[in-house]
Amino acid sequence: MNLIIDTHAHTLVSGHAYSTIHDMAKAAYEKGLKVQCLTEHAPAMPGTCHSYYFMNLDKVPRQMDGVELLLGTELNILDPLGNVDLPEDICKKLDIVIASIHPPCYGLNHTVEENTQSYLEVMKKPYVNIIGHPDDSRFPIDYEQIVRMAKETETLLEVNNSSLSPITFREGARENVLQMLDLCKQYEVMITTGSDAHVDVDAGNFKYVEEILEYCAFPEELVATTDIKKLKPYINKYK
């Protein structure tokens, strides 16, 4: 399977990442990618950039160092009501929007029902394109409900390379991803692939993503990142 798009990566402006936009674009090109998405952490994440950063992204070229760039954010889901940390008027102008749960912004003491509801509410927001790393057993969810809502709202579910790494801090990711992928096959729900790179050498790194997709014989037609034409209907820039 030829993955030519990375829909999740960070530059140094996210606060705990280490490379510039040029660094990431160059590395993506050298990996053979056609599109690199840069999705900086939204303002509730400690150490990241101000909302002004996202408001000013129209100044940045979308072609750089041989690849197309899609520039956006990784929103923080803040609570079981699906509140996030950037307003709609900013988000809908971004090329791409991921929404994810992170412990500093959400907390670890919610129930399965509350965690599931947070994702369901977020997927109802038309400017949210992707649910990021819904694979962490610290935030247990009902995967069937998540997959069915992704189908209804045309939201992409992410297979995150960082989650599947042997050194990940997320828990139970492989088992959870396999369960999610099985349901995505059953309901014919599209997925996306993200490196979640925080340094240039990791841009476009899909080592563990490719392994798990091959392991479960996941159909290529349900992987949005093998062809820009497949990704376009799901991403704000092209909608």
Side-chain angles (χ1 to χ4, degrees):
M1 191 177 299
N2 187 23
L3 302 175
I4 62 168
I5 305 165
D6 182 355
T7 55
H8 186 164
H10 302 272
T11 75
L12 53 81
V13 301
S14 279
H16 55 274
Y18 305 96
S19 303
T20 67
I21 293 176
H22 273 290
D23 293 336
M24 298 298 286
K26 184 174 183 291
Y29 175 76
E30 291 173 351
K31 291 273 182 65
L33 296 188
K34 302 298 183 185
V35 181
Q36 177 65 64
C37 304
L38 299 175
T39 49
E40 309 301 351
H41 285 291
M45 177 65 72
T48 195
C49 49
H50 192 274
S51 60
Y52 290 168
Y53 177 87
F54 302 101
M55 295 167 65
N56 204 41
L57 279 175
D58 60 339
K59 304 297 191 292
V60 183
R62 294 318 198 256
Q63 296 286 335
M64 191 179 295
D65 296 313
V67 298
E68 180 179 355
L69 295 178
L70 296 179
L71 304 180
T73 188
E74 183 180 14
L75 297 172
N76 295 289
I77 301 173
L78 302 176
D79 54 43
L81 299 177
N83 289 310
V84 293
D85 53 341
L86 279 175
E88 179 176 358
D89 64 331
I90 293 178
C91 290
K92 67 185 183 182
K93 295 178 182 177
L94 299 177
D95 298 341
I96 181 170
V97 174
I98 302 172
S100 306
I101 288 178
H102 297 105
C105 309
Y106 182 82
L108 294 169
N109 298 316
H110 295 291
T111 65
V112 172
E113 292 76 19
E114 288 174 328
N115 296 332
T116 301
Q117 189 63 30
S118 71
Y119 284 128
L120 299 180
E121 293 302 321
V122 164
M123 283 191 277
K124 294 175 185 176
K125 302 179 189 297
Y127 54 82
V128 171
N129 309 139
I130 296 167
I131 295 297
H133 47 76
D135 53 33
D136 192 341
S137 289
R138 296 177 298 173
F139 310 101
I141 56 175
D142 182 329
Y143 280 98
E144 182 152 11
Q145 287 194 59
I146 299 299
V147 169
R148 291 174 66 179
M149 180 62 80
K151 176 86 169 183
E152 180 180 333
T153 59
E154 298 187 325
T155 306
L156 296 171
L157 299 176
E158 179 187 74
V159 181
N160 184 293
N161 196 75
S162 179
S163 294
L164 296 167
S165 167
I167 60 172
T168 185
F169 51 85
R170 298 177 188 130
E171 298 177 5
R174 181 177 177 82
E175 294 77 14
N176 293 332
V177 169
L178 286 171
Q179 181 182 356
M180 183 181 79
L181 290 175
D182 184 61
L183 288 162
C184 286
K185 285 196 286 186
Q186 179 181 335
Y187 288 100
E188 298 185 330
V189 170
M190 295 285 286
I191 66 161
T192 187
T193 58
S195 67
D196 204 354
H198 284 63
V199 66
D200 57 353
V201 295
D202 235 6
N205 179 5
F206 298 127
K207 176 180 178 180
Y208 304 110
V209 169
E210 290 174 331
E211 185 277 329
I212 204 166
L213 293 179
E214 182 177 358
Y215 176 82
C216 67
F218 195 79
E220 184 171 339
E221 60 266 24
L222 294 179
V223 182
T225 47
T226 60
D227 188 331
I228 188 63
K229 292 179 182 178
K230 291 163 68 175
L231 182 67
K232 282 183 176 182
Y234 296 92
I235 299 302
N236 289 345
K237 179 177 180 179
Y238 303 110
K239 282 184 177 179

